[in-house]
Amino acid sequence: MLLTPFIINTICLLLFFSTGGYILYIHRKEVRKRQENARMSRKLSKSIAPLNMKIWVYHVDRQTFSWIDKDGRPCKTMKALEFARNYLHGDFTRVNEAFGRLINNQEEVVTLLIQDKDETDEKYETRYFSLELSLYRHANGKPYLIFGARRDITKEHQRINQEKDVLLRYQNIFDSSFVGLAIFAPDGSMLDVNEESARILRMTREELISKNHSLSSNFDDSIIEEAAKHEVNICTIAKLQPDQPPVYLEMQLKPVFDENGQLEYIFSTGRDMGEFVNAFHKLKEGTRQLNIVNKEITSYINNIDYILQVGGLRIIKYSPTTHDLTIFDGKHKELHTLTQVRCMTFVDDASKRVVTHTFKMLDNKTPNPITTNVKTTIRNKGTEVLYLQFDLLPVFDESGNLKSYFGICRDVSQTKWTEHLLAIETARAQEVESIKNAFLRNMSHEIRTPLNTVVGFAELFNEAASPEDEQVFIEEIKDNSAHLLRLINDILFLSRLDAKMIEINPKTTDFCKSFVNNCQRGWEEHQKEGVKLNIEQPYNQLFVDIDETQVGYVIRQIIENAAIYTDQGSINARYDYIDGKLFITIEDTGCGIKKENLPHIFERFVSGMNKGTGLELAICKELLQQMGGVISVYSDEGKGTSVVITLPCSAITIERKASL
């Protein structure tokens, strides 16, 4: 059949309208799709804006990357090679591998930690990002778009690294500390313990933890309750096994609270005091006979114990790269950062060579622990030189390279000073031993002399003698017996003084009467013709709190000495009460004391011309010292002697005589 022009035109017109309609349908569908994509992009942009995320899209077919702006529209499109410039080579390789896993349906979502150079950052610094990748497919399942959501986690990464560094510091201190450390839960059960604690308790760390040691197994509940509130210091003796010696421990329990004030755990530090206890016993056994210096040695040992209890520690860090020494406080707060040159200015000349060698080992990155004792030019609160001990441990990075040294610094000045004092006391003890031997020799001589005299004259009675001679023998025996009795009494009294067995009992005393009576008693037995005793009485009443017996003994002995050595002239005795102190002065016009003998006047068995026992002034000085008083002697040979006694006491009643 032939087609007429009309039919042909009609067919063409129908084809034109049907094709145009299809094209219009496709166009409207694309417009709606773009509008829907734009709407979803804006919605997605609004949802991720608070999360500080940036979005890019990878077009699988075109192999291009597009950044999505804040309005959800593509703002910049680039090829893969250009896009990869912002990534480290290894990171971009991992991104490509993640693309393959998404396209092959191995994973639905991939999250990566990458380092990226943020092009919006003018400094182009490397930052850390969390990148989350997800795949969008066509309806036929063909991969279409890969979305990359990138979130900046640089601050979180830095915070995690800082926490790791702090944890490393604590772990190094905990594991390498020279004292025993342990951590207990609020119920008293042990959470962790270091090797030093296990060594002190003579166990391994694993054995100590496996035995489930707790505070309640070693201490009363009252101590645990106190430790849960505030710091507690305890000294205890731990008996671990029947066949093992006890362990002497000094422990400090300190509670640690959280932000809400709730007890989080109890931190324990402990030290083995066994060596010091044994040293104390040996020292006590070796110096058992040295009664005079026993008290001082015990005092120094107590000082050593006190130093061990309160010895402070400082955390230090040395960097071989910068050659700086950093000092931290107990809270890891940086106190000082010192260069090597600055450190050397505080080092004494005696330790500069040691410090120089130590710095050389640190700069050469010696992989072993380093311990150094340094004498500084710094002075303590007193006048002692400051000695420091440095204990440093190497710190390695993840690759095994030594990056720094970390450790502690502690003050060992008191230990050094105590060693010096112990050396002095040893020399003093030897000197005291010599004095004691000399005292025994003198005492033996002084006792034998009158005793031999008594025995000798007693033997003469066996021979024929006239009554006159026998009377002389009797007088000599009586005099030497009295002298011997007085010598023995003085020796016993002095021994009681040395042993601190004389009790001082202050009582209210009328010193006006007591002074006159004791002066008269000391004068009566030794008064001589041509010598006069003058007693000045400046008060009508003076009642003071003193031990009248002991003070009276001192006054009598001084008056007796003055009477013995004064052959002509006078003895003047006076007293006064000024500013809470009793002043007693006794002067004589006797023969005086030689200048070279004056410093030894209070030594034992020192007497002139064989008069007295030689112990009286030593007894007087010791008595006054135990009462808090002082005695001084001033003398010119041939002119006389003055004795001044100062005695602190309280006055109850004071009535001074009216001055003329």
Side-chain angles (χ1 to χ4, degrees), residues 133-194:
L133 303 175
S134 58
L135 177 65
Y136 176 74
R137 297 177 181 272
H138 287 293
N140 58 6
K142 183 179 180 181
Y144 178 45
L145 298 175
I146 295 178
F147 289 91
R150 193 187 69 177
R151 184 168 63 90
D152 190 344
I153 60 170
T154 303
K155 292 183 178 179
E156 296 178 10
H157 192 271
Q158 291 174 349
R159 178 179 57 80
I160 293 173
N161 287 338
Q162 290 175 355
E163 291 178 353
K164 289 181 179 179
D165 186 50
V166 172
L167 181 61
L168 178 62
R169 293 183 186 180
Y170 275 108
Q171 195 63 39
N172 279 337
I173 294 174
F174 189 81
D175 292 337
S176 63
S177 177
F178 292 95
V179 296
L181 302 178
I183 300 176
F184 296 91
D187 61 356
S189 59
M190 179 180 290
L191 299 177
D192 197 3
V193 65
N194 69 348

Coordinates of all heavy atoms in Angstrom, one line a residue, residues 133-194:
L133 N 34.1 5.8 55.7 CA 33.7 5.6 54.3 C 32.5 4.7 54.2 O 32.4 3.7 54.9 CB 34.9 5.0 53.6 CG 36.3 5.7 53.7 CD1 37.3 4.9 53.0 CD2 36.1 7.1 53.0
S134 N 31.6 5.2 53.3 CA 30.4 4.4 53.0 C 30.1 4.4 51.5 O 30.4 5.5 50.9 CB 29.2 4.8 53.8 OG 28.9 6.2 53.6
L135 N 29.4 3.4 50.9 CA 29.2 3.3 49.5 C 27.7 3.5 49.2 O 26.9 2.9 49.9 CB 29.7 1.9 49.0 CG 29.5 1.6 47.5 CD1 30.3 2.5 46.6 CD2 29.8 0.2 47.2
Y136 N 27.5 4.2 48.1 CA 26.1 4.4 47.6 C 26.0 3.8 46.2 O 26.9 4.0 45.3 CB 25.7 5.9 47.5 CG 24.4 6.2 46.9 CD1 23.2 5.9 47.6 CD2 24.3 6.7 45.6 CE1 22.0 6.2 47.0 CE2 23.1 6.9 45.0 CZ 21.9 6.7 45.7 OH 20.7 6.9 45.2
R137 N 25.0 2.9 46.0 CA 24.9 2.2 44.7 C 23.7 2.6 43.9 O 22.7 3.1 44.5 CB 24.9 0.7 45.0 CG 26.1 0.1 45.7 CD 25.9 -1.4 46.0 NE 27.1 -1.9 46.7 CZ 28.1 -2.5 46.0 NH1 28.1 -2.5 44.7 NH2 29.2 -2.9 46.7
H138 N 23.7 2.3 42.6 CA 22.6 2.5 41.8 C 21.5 1.4 42.1 O 21.8 0.5 42.9 CB 22.9 2.4 40.3 CG 23.7 3.6 39.8 ND1 23.1 4.8 39.6 CD2 25.0 3.7 39.4 CE1 24.1 5.7 39.2 NE2 25.2 5.0 39.0
A139 N 20.3 1.6 41.6 CA 19.3 0.6 41.8 C 19.7 -0.7 41.3 O 19.2 -1.8 41.8 CB 18.0 1.1 41.2
N140 N 20.5 -0.8 40.2 CA 20.9 -2.0 39.6 C 22.1 -2.6 40.4 O 22.7 -3.7 40.0 CB 21.3 -1.9 38.2 CG 22.4 -0.8 38.0 OD1 23.0 -0.3 39.0 ND2 22.8 -0.5 36.8
G141 N 22.5 -2.0 41.5 CA 23.6 -2.5 42.4 C 25.0 -2.1 42.0 O 26.0 -2.4 42.6
K142 N 25.1 -1.3 40.9 CA 26.4 -0.8 40.5 C 26.9 0.3 41.4 O 26.1 1.2 41.8 CB 26.3 -0.3 39.0 CG 27.6 0.2 38.5 CD 27.4 0.6 37.0 CE 28.8 1.1 36.4 NZ 28.7 1.5 35.1
P143 N 28.2 0.3 41.8 CA 28.7 1.3 42.7 C 28.6 2.7 42.0 O 29.0 2.8 40.9 CB 30.1 0.9 42.9 CG 30.2 -0.6 42.7 CD 29.2 -0.8 41.6
Y144 N 28.2 3.6 42.8 CA 28.0 5.0 42.2 C 28.8 6.0 42.9 O 29.7 6.6 42.3 CB 26.5 5.3 42.3 CG 26.2 6.7 41.8 CD1 26.7 7.2 40.6 CD2 25.3 7.6 42.5 CE1 26.4 8.5 40.1 CE2 25.0 8.8 42.1 CZ 25.6 9.3 40.9 OH 25.3 10.6 40.4
L145 N 28.6 6.2 44.2 CA 29.3 7.2 45.0 C 29.9 6.6 46.3 O 29.2 5.7 46.9 CB 28.4 8.4 45.4 CG 27.8 9.2 44.3 CD1 26.8 10.2 44.8 CD2 28.9 9.9 43.4
I146 N 31.1 7.1 46.7 CA 31.6 6.7 48.0 C 31.7 8.0 48.8 O 32.4 9.0 48.4 CB 33.0 6.0 47.9 CG1 32.9 4.7 47.2 CG2 33.6 5.8 49.3 CD1 34.2 4.0 47.0
F147 N 31.0 8.0 50.0 CA 31.0 9.2 50.8 C 32.1 9.0 51.9 O 32.3 8.0 52.5 CB 29.7 9.4 51.6 CG 28.6 9.8 50.6 CD1 27.8 8.8 50.0 CD2 28.3 11.1 50.4 CE1 26.8 9.2 49.1 CE2 27.3 11.5 49.5 CZ 26.5 10.5 48.9
G148 N 32.9 10.1 52.1 CA 33.9 10.1 53.1 C 33.6 11.2 54.2 O 33.6 12.4 53.8
A149 N 33.3 10.8 55.4 CA 33.0 11.8 56.5 C 34.3 11.9 57.4 O 34.7 10.9 58.0 CB 31.8 11.3 57.3
R150 N 34.9 13.0 57.4 CA 36.2 13.2 58.1 C 36.0 14.1 59.3 O 35.4 15.2 59.2 CB 37.2 13.8 57.2 CG 38.6 13.8 57.7 CD 39.5 14.6 56.8 NE 39.3 16.0 56.9 CZ 40.0 17.0 56.3 NH1 41.0 16.6 55.5 NH2 39.7 18.2 56.4
R151 N 36.4 13.6 60.5 CA 36.2 14.3 61.7 C 37.6 14.6 62.4 O 38.4 13.6 62.5 CB 35.3 13.6 62.7 CG 35.1 14.4 64.0 CD 34.0 13.7 64.8 NE 34.3 12.3 65.2 CZ 34.9 12.1 66.4 NH1 35.2 13.1 67.2 NH2 35.2 10.8 66.7
D152 N 37.9 15.8 62.7 CA 39.2 16.2 63.3 C 39.3 15.7 64.8 O 38.5 16.1 65.6 CB 39.4 17.7 63.3 CG 40.8 18.1 63.7 OD1 41.5 17.3 64.2 OD2 41.1 19.3 63.4
I153 N 40.2 14.8 65.0 CA 40.4 14.2 66.4 C 41.8 14.5 66.9 O 42.4 13.8 67.7 CB 40.1 12.7 66.4 CG1 41.1 12.0 65.5 CG2 38.7 12.4 66.1 CD1 41.1 10.5 65.6
T154 N 42.4 15.6 66.4 CA 43.8 16.0 66.8 C 43.9 16.2 68.3 O 44.8 15.7 69.0 CB 44.2 17.2 66.1 OG1 44.1 17.0 64.7 CG2 45.7 17.6 66.4
K155 N 42.9 16.9 68.9 CA 43.0 17.2 70.3 C 42.8 15.9 71.1 O 43.5 15.7 72.1 CB 41.9 18.2 70.7 CG 42.2 19.6 70.1 CD 41.1 20.6 70.6 CE 41.4 22.0 70.1 NZ 40.4 23.0 70.5
E156 N 41.9 15.1 70.7 CA 41.7 13.8 71.4 C 43.0 13.0 71.3 O 43.4 12.3 72.3 CB 40.5 13.0 70.8 CG 39.2 13.8 70.9 CD 38.1 13.0 70.3 OE1 38.3 11.8 69.9 OE2 37.0 13.5 70.1
H157 N 43.6 12.9 70.2 CA 44.8 12.2 70.0 C 45.9 12.7 70.9 O 46.7 11.9 71.5 CB 45.3 12.2 68.5 CG 46.3 11.2 68.2 ND1 47.7 11.5 68.3 CD2 46.3 9.9 67.8 CE1 48.4 10.5 67.9 NE2 47.6 9.5 67.6
Q158 N 46.1 14.0 71.0 CA 47.1 14.6 71.8 C 46.8 14.3 73.3 O 47.7 14.1 74.1 CB 47.1 16.2 71.6 CG 47.7 16.6 70.3 CD 47.6 18.1 70.0 OE1 46.9 18.8 70.8 NE2 48.2 18.5 68.9
R159 N 45.5 14.4 73.7 CA 45.1 14.1 75.1 C 45.5 12.6 75.4 O 46.0 12.4 76.5 CB 43.6 14.3 75.3 CG 43.1 14.0 76.7 CD 41.7 14.3 76.8 NE 40.9 13.6 75.8 CZ 40.5 12.3 75.9 NH1 40.9 11.6 77.0 NH2 39.8 11.7 75.0
I160 N 45.2 11.7 74.5 CA 45.5 10.3 74.7 C 47.0 10.1 74.9 O 47.5 9.4 75.8 CB 45.0 9.4 73.6 CG1 43.5 9.4 73.6 CG2 45.5 8.0 73.7 CD1 42.8 8.8 72.4
N161 N 47.8 10.8 74.0 CA 49.3 10.7 74.2 C 49.8 11.3 75.5 O 50.7 10.7 76.1 CB 50.0 11.5 73.0 CG 49.8 10.7 71.7 OD1 49.6 9.5 71.7 ND2 50.0 11.4 70.6
Q162 N 49.2 12.4 75.9 CA 49.5 13.0 77.2 C 49.2 12.0 78.4 O 50.0 11.8 79.3 CB 48.8 14.3 77.4 CG 49.4 15.4 76.5 CD 48.6 16.7 76.7 OE1 47.6 16.7 77.4 NE2 49.0 17.7 76.0
E163 N 48.0 11.4 78.3 CA 47.7 10.4 79.3 C 48.6 9.2 79.3 O 49.0 8.7 80.4 CB 46.2 9.9 79.1 CG 45.2 11.0 79.3 CD 43.8 10.5 79.0 OE1 43.7 9.4 78.5 OE2 42.8 11.2 79.3
K164 N 49.0 8.8 78.1 CA 50.0 7.7 78.1 C 51.3 8.1 78.7 O 52.0 7.3 79.4 CB 50.3 7.3 76.6 CG 49.1 6.5 76.0 CD 49.5 6.1 74.6 CE 48.3 5.3 73.9 NZ 48.7 5.0 72.5
D165 N 51.8 9.4 78.5 CA 53.0 9.8 79.1 C 52.9 9.9 80.6 O 53.9 9.5 81.3 CB 53.3 11.2 78.5 CG 54.7 11.7 78.9 OD1 55.7 11.0 78.8 OD2 54.8 12.9 79.4
V166 N 51.8 10.5 81.1 CA 51.6 10.5 82.5 C 51.6 9.1 83.1 O 52.2 8.8 84.2 CB 50.3 11.3 82.9 CG1 50.0 11.2 84.4 CG2 50.5 12.8 82.5
L167 N 50.9 8.2 82.4 CA 50.8 6.8 82.9 C 52.2 6.2 83.0 O 52.5 5.4 83.9 CB 49.8 6.0 82.0 CG 49.6 4.6 82.4 CD1 49.0 4.5 83.8 CD2 48.7 3.9 81.4
L168 N 53.0 6.5 81.9 CA 54.3 5.9 81.9 C 55.2 6.5 83.0 O 55.9 5.7 83.7 CB 55.0 6.3 80.5 CG 56.5 5.9 80.4 CD1 56.5 4.3 80.4 CD2 57.0 6.4 79.0
R169 N 55.0 7.8 83.4 CA 55.8 8.3 84.5 C 55.4 7.6 85.8 O 56.2 7.2 86.6 CB 55.5 9.8 84.6 CG 56.0 10.7 83.5 CD 55.7 12.1 83.8 NE 56.1 13.0 82.6 CZ 55.9 14.3 82.6 NH1 55.4 14.9 83.7 NH2 56.3 15.0 81.6
Y170 N 54.1 7.5 86.0 CA 53.6 6.9 87.2 C 54.1 5.4 87.3 O 54.5 4.9 88.3 CB 52.1 6.9 87.3 CG 51.6 8.2 87.9 CD1 50.9 9.1 87.1 CD2 51.7 8.4 89.3 CE1 50.4 10.3 87.7 CE2 51.2 9.6 89.8 CZ 50.6 10.5 89.0 OH 50.1 11.7 89.6
Q171 N 54.0 4.7 86.1 CA 54.4 3.3 86.1 C 55.9 3.1 86.4 O 56.3 2.2 87.1 CB 54.0 2.7 84.8 CG 54.1 1.1 84.8 CD 53.0 0.6 85.8 OE1 51.9 1.1 85.9 NE2 53.4 -0.5 86.5
N172 N 56.7 4.1 85.8 CA 58.2 4.0 86.1 C 58.5 4.2 87.5 O 59.3 3.6 88.1 CB 58.9 5.0 85.2 CG 59.1 4.6 83.8 OD1 59.1 3.4 83.5 ND2 59.2 5.5 82.8
I173 N 57.8 5.2 88.1 CA 58.0 5.5 89.5 C 57.6 4.4 90.4 O 58.2 3.9 91.3 CB 57.3 6.8 89.9 CG1 57.9 8.0 89.2 CG2 57.3 7.0 91.4 CD1 57.1 9.3 89.4
F174 N 56.4 3.8 90.0 CA 55.8 2.7 90.8 C 56.7 1.5 90.8 O 57.0 0.9 91.8 CB 54.4 2.4 90.3 CG 53.6 1.5 91.2 CD1 53.0 1.9 92.3 CD2 53.6 0.1 90.9 CE1 52.3 1.1 93.1 CE2 52.9 -0.8 91.7 CZ 52.2 -0.3 92.8
D175 N 57.2 1.1 89.6 CA 57.9 -0.1 89.4 C 59.4 0.0 89.8 O 60.0 -0.9 90.3 CB 57.9 -0.6 87.9 CG 56.5 -1.0 87.5 OD1 55.7 -1.4 88.4 OD2 56.2 -1.0 86.3
S176 N 60.0 1.3 89.7 CA 61.4 1.4 90.0 C 61.7 2.2 91.3 O 62.8 2.5 91.5 CB 62.1 2.2 88.8 OG 61.5 3.5 88.7
S177 N 60.7 2.4 92.0 CA 60.9 3.2 93.3 C 61.7 2.4 94.3 O 61.7 1.1 94.3 CB 59.5 3.5 93.9 OG 59.7 4.1 95.2
F178 N 62.5 3.1 95.0 CA 63.4 2.5 96.0 C 62.6 2.2 97.4 O 63.3 1.8 98.3 CB 64.6 3.3 96.3 CG 65.5 3.4 95.1 CD1 65.4 4.4 94.2 CD2 66.5 2.4 94.9 CE1 66.3 4.5 93.1 CE2 67.3 2.4 93.8 CZ 67.2 3.5 92.9
V179 N 61.4 2.5 97.4 CA 60.5 2.2 98.6 C 59.4 1.3 98.1 O 59.0 1.3 96.9 CB 60.0 3.5 99.2 CG1 61.1 4.4 99.7 CG2 59.1 4.3 98.2
G180 N 58.9 0.5 99.0 CA 57.8 -0.4 98.7 C 56.5 0.4 98.5 O 56.1 1.2 99.3
L181 N 55.8 0.2 97.4 CA 54.6 0.9 97.0 C 53.5 -0.2 96.8 O 53.7 -1.3 96.2 CB 54.7 1.7 95.7 CG 55.8 2.8 95.8 CD1 55.9 3.5 94.4 CD2 55.6 3.8 96.9
A182 N 52.3 0.1 97.3 CA 51.1 -0.7 97.1 C 49.9 0.1 97.0 O 49.8 1.2 97.6 CB 51.0 -1.8 98.2
I183 N 48.9 -0.4 96.3 CA 47.6 0.3 96.1 C 46.5 -0.7 96.6 O 46.4 -1.8 96.2 CB 47.3 0.7 94.7 CG1 48.5 1.6 94.2 CG2 46.0 1.4 94.5 CD1 48.4 2.0 92.7
F184 N 45.6 -0.1 97.5 CA 44.5 -0.9 98.1 C 43.2 -0.3 97.7 O 43.1 0.9 97.6 CB 44.7 -1.0 99.6 CG 45.9 -1.7 100.1 CD1 47.1 -1.0 100.3 CD2 45.9 -3.1 100.3 CE1 48.2 -1.6 100.7 CE2 47.1 -3.7 100.7 CZ 48.2 -3.0 100.9
A185 N 42.2 -1.2 97.5 CA 40.8 -0.7 97.3 C 40.2 -0.2 98.6 O 40.8 -0.4 99.6 CB 40.0 -1.9 96.7
P186 N 39.1 0.6 98.5 CA 38.5 1.1 99.7 C 38.2 0.0 100.7 O 38.2 0.3 101.9 CB 37.2 1.8 99.2 CG 37.6 2.2 97.8 CD 38.4 1.1 97.3
D187 N 37.9 -1.2 100.3 CA 37.6 -2.3 101.3 C 38.9 -2.9 101.8 O 38.8 -3.8 102.7 CB 36.7 -3.3 100.6 CG 37.5 -4.0 99.4 OD1 38.6 -3.6 99.1 OD2 36.9 -4.9 98.8
G188 N 40.1 -2.4 101.4 CA 41.3 -2.9 102.0 C 42.0 -4.0 101.2 O 43.1 -4.3 101.5
S189 N 41.4 -4.5 100.1 CA 42.0 -5.5 99.3 C 43.1 -4.9 98.4 O 43.0 -3.8 98.0 CB 41.0 -6.2 98.4 OG 40.3 -5.2 97.6
M190 N 44.1 -5.7 98.1 CA 45.3 -5.2 97.4 C 45.0 -5.2 95.9 O 44.5 -6.2 95.3 CB 46.5 -6.1 97.7 CG 47.8 -5.6 96.9 SD 49.2 -6.7 97.2 CE 49.5 -6.2 98.9
L191 N 45.3 -4.1 95.2 CA 45.1 -3.9 93.8 C 46.4 -4.1 93.0 O 46.4 -4.8 92.0 CB 44.5 -2.6 93.5 CG 43.1 -2.3 94.1 CD1 42.7 -0.8 93.7 CD2 42.1 -3.3 93.6
D192 N 47.5 -3.5 93.5 CA 48.7 -3.6 92.8 C 49.9 -3.4 93.8 O 49.7 -2.8 94.9 CB 48.8 -2.6 91.7 CG 49.9 -2.9 90.7 OD1 50.6 -4.0 90.9 OD2 50.1 -2.1 89.8
V193 N 51.1 -3.9 93.5 CA 52.2 -3.8 94.4 C 53.5 -3.8 93.5 O 53.5 -4.4 92.4 CB 52.2 -5.0 95.4 CG1 52.4 -6.3 94.7 CG2 53.3 -4.8 96.4
N194 N 54.5 -3.1 93.9 CA 55.7 -3.1 93.1 C 56.7 -4.1 93.6 O 56.6 -4.8 94.7 CB 56.4 -1.7 93.1 CG 56.9 -1.3 94.4 OD1 56.6 -1.9 95.5 ND2 57.7 -0.2 94.4

